[in-house]
């Protein structure tokens, strides 16, 4: 079982090292880091953990408030990009390679535990949820921002699923973290004062639907891995090309400038004392 899990984690690291996710985070979704930091109420002096931080979209914004921040992620290439971005922006924080399902931190070590479209990609949802609660102090804040199943990115994963490599045993679809009922079941009675809000990110980084498709084929690890899986089957490549183009057409808000609507779920809660 341990050897299988090691292979799963190695595959996960490899996927997210493909392409250039840090560029995507900076060019396409920079707003989300600011949104979750504001929602979680991070202030100077707070001890903050960003789980599956990637290149630090949220963690860097948290550090700029004066908080004591640890950015953790399974993929060292993303952490290195984050260090460079933090230096450029004058943010001081700690970067730790860590598995969201087995965090190397003590019980109740953090005042605020957050994750911005990150923890959703840990394959075993309950294990990741148990860890994020464990490391948050009683009375501390938990804040999660995840793509919804019904929204653009959730539907993108649904479109890619028939063409993607099979998921590891026991893995659950990432967009379930954007389903309110699913997340509340994961957290259970270990949190209180839950606030849940669906919001829309308006993305104007692309000129037309095909531009989105080609950008994700070049920059986004899961999309790159999916196309590599079907590289020897040109008819499947064409079918996935069309599916992603149609997806973008169906989520177009405006054509001047060309703008896509991407729905996400923002959840904040307080860790109970039990």
């Amino acid at each position: 079982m341990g050897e299988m899990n090691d292979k799963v984690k190695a595959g996960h690291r490899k996927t997210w090292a493909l392409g250039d996710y840090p560029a995507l985070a900076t060019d396409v979704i920079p707003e989300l880091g600011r949104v979750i930091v504001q929602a979680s109420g991070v202030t100077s002096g707070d001890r903050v953990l960003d789980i599956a931080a990637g290149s630090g979209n949220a963690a860097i914004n948290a550090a700029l408030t004066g908080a004591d921040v640890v950015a953790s992620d399974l993929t060292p290439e993303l952490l290195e990009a984050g260090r460079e971005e933090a230096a450029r922006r004058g943010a001081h924080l700690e970067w730790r390679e860590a598995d969201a399902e087995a965090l190397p931190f003590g019980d109740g070590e953090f005042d605020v535990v957050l994750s911005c479209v990150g923890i959703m990609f840990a394959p075993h949802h309950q294990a990741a949820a148990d860890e994020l609660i464990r490391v948050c102090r009683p009375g501390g804040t938990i804040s999660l921002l995840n793509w919804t199943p019904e929204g653009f990115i959730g539907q993108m994963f649904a479109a890619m699923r028939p063409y993607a490599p099979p998921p590891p045993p026991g893995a659950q679809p990432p967009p379930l973290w954007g389903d309110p009922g699913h997340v509340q079941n994961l957290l259970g009675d270990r949190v209180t004062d839950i606030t849940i809000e669906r919001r829309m990110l308006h993305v104007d980084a692309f000129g037309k639907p095909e531009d989105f498709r080609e950008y994700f084929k070049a920059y986004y690890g899961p999309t790159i891995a999916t196309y590599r899986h079907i590289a020897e089957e040109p008819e499947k490549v064409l079918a996935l090309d069309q599916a992603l183009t149609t997806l973008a057409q169906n989520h177009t808000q405006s054509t001047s400038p060309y703008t896509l609507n991407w729905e996400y779920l923002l959840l904040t809660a307080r860790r109970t004392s039990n």
Side-chain angles (χ1 to χ4, degrees):
M1 184 69 177
E3 183 178 348
M4 178 180 290
N5 194 52
D6 289 345
K7 289 181 178 178
V8 170
K9 301 304 179 182
H12 192 82
R13 289 189 193 96
K14 183 178 179 181
T15 294
W16 287 100
L18 295 172
D20 192 345
Y21 183 78
L24 188 153
T26 300
D27 298 342
V28 182
I29 59 170
E31 175 187 330
L32 297 186
R34 296 188 291 271
V35 166
I36 193 170
V37 168
Q38 183 178 25
S40 62
V42 172
T43 59
S44 178
D46 281 341
R47 176 77 166 154
V48 179
L49 175 64
D50 184 358
I51 298 175
S55 51
N57 191 355
I60 292 171
N61 280 283
L64 290 172
T65 71
D68 177 10
V69 179
V70 178
S72 68
D73 198 275
L74 193 62
T75 305
E77 290 88 346
L78 299 183
L79 295 176
E80 186 55 38
R83 289 186 185 95
E84 294 174 5
E85 177 67 8
R88 188 184 69 79
R89 295 178 61 185
H92 302 283
L93 63 157
E94 181 182 352
W95 301 86
R96 289 282 299 274
E97 187 174 337
D99 180 357
E101 297 176 5
L103 294 170
F105 307 111
D107 295 357
E109 187 171 334
F110 297 93
D111 302 303
V112 179
V113 180
L114 56 82
S115 186
C116 181
V117 296
I119 198 172
M120 64 184 292
F121 294 104
H124 307 104
H125 294 188
Q126 191 63 64
D130 291 349
E131 280 294 271
L132 81 89
I133 291 171
R134 180 184 65 79
V135 300
C136 184
R137 68 165 174 81
T141 298
I142 290 169
S143 189
L144 302 170
L145 190 159
N146 293 304
W147 304 118
T148 65
E150 307 86 358
F152 183 85
I153 298 297
Q155 289 299 300
M156 183 188 75
F157 275 93
M160 293 193 304
R161 192 172 301 128
Y163 308 99
Q172 294 174 282
L176 281 178
W177 277 89
D179 178 299
H182 181 72
V183 181
Q184 287 177 290
N185 284 338
L186 292 176
L187 302 179
D189 61 3
R190 297 172 294 179
V191 299
T192 187
D193 301 329
I194 298 177
T195 300
I196 297 176
E197 184 180 356
R198 291 180 185 269
R199 292 190 183 183
M200 200 71 73
L201 178 68
H202 305 296
V203 177
D204 60 3
F206 311 109
K208 57 183 184 296
E210 292 79 7
D211 292 344
F212 144 75
R213 183 191 71 208
E214 294 306 309
Y215 186 94
F216 267 62
K217 286 172 71 172
Y219 286 84
Y220 194 59
T223 307
I224 296 169
T226 299
Y227 273 96
R228 286 187 177 182
H229 185 63
I230 59 172
E232 304 303 319
E233 301 175 88
E235 72 286 353
K236 290 187 177 180
V237 172
L238 288 173
L240 182 53
D241 277 350
Q242 185 57 56
L244 294 181
T245 301
T246 299
L247 174 71
Q249 291 168 341
N250 291 341
H251 287 78
T252 298
Q253 178 196 26
S254 168
T255 56
S256 183
Y258 181 70
T259 307
L260 292 165
N261 284 334
W262 296 7
E263 187 185 60
Y264 61 89
L265 192 79
L266 180 64
L267 178 148
T268 59
R270 193 160 303 284
R271 172 78 162 93
T272 59
S273 57
N274 59 348

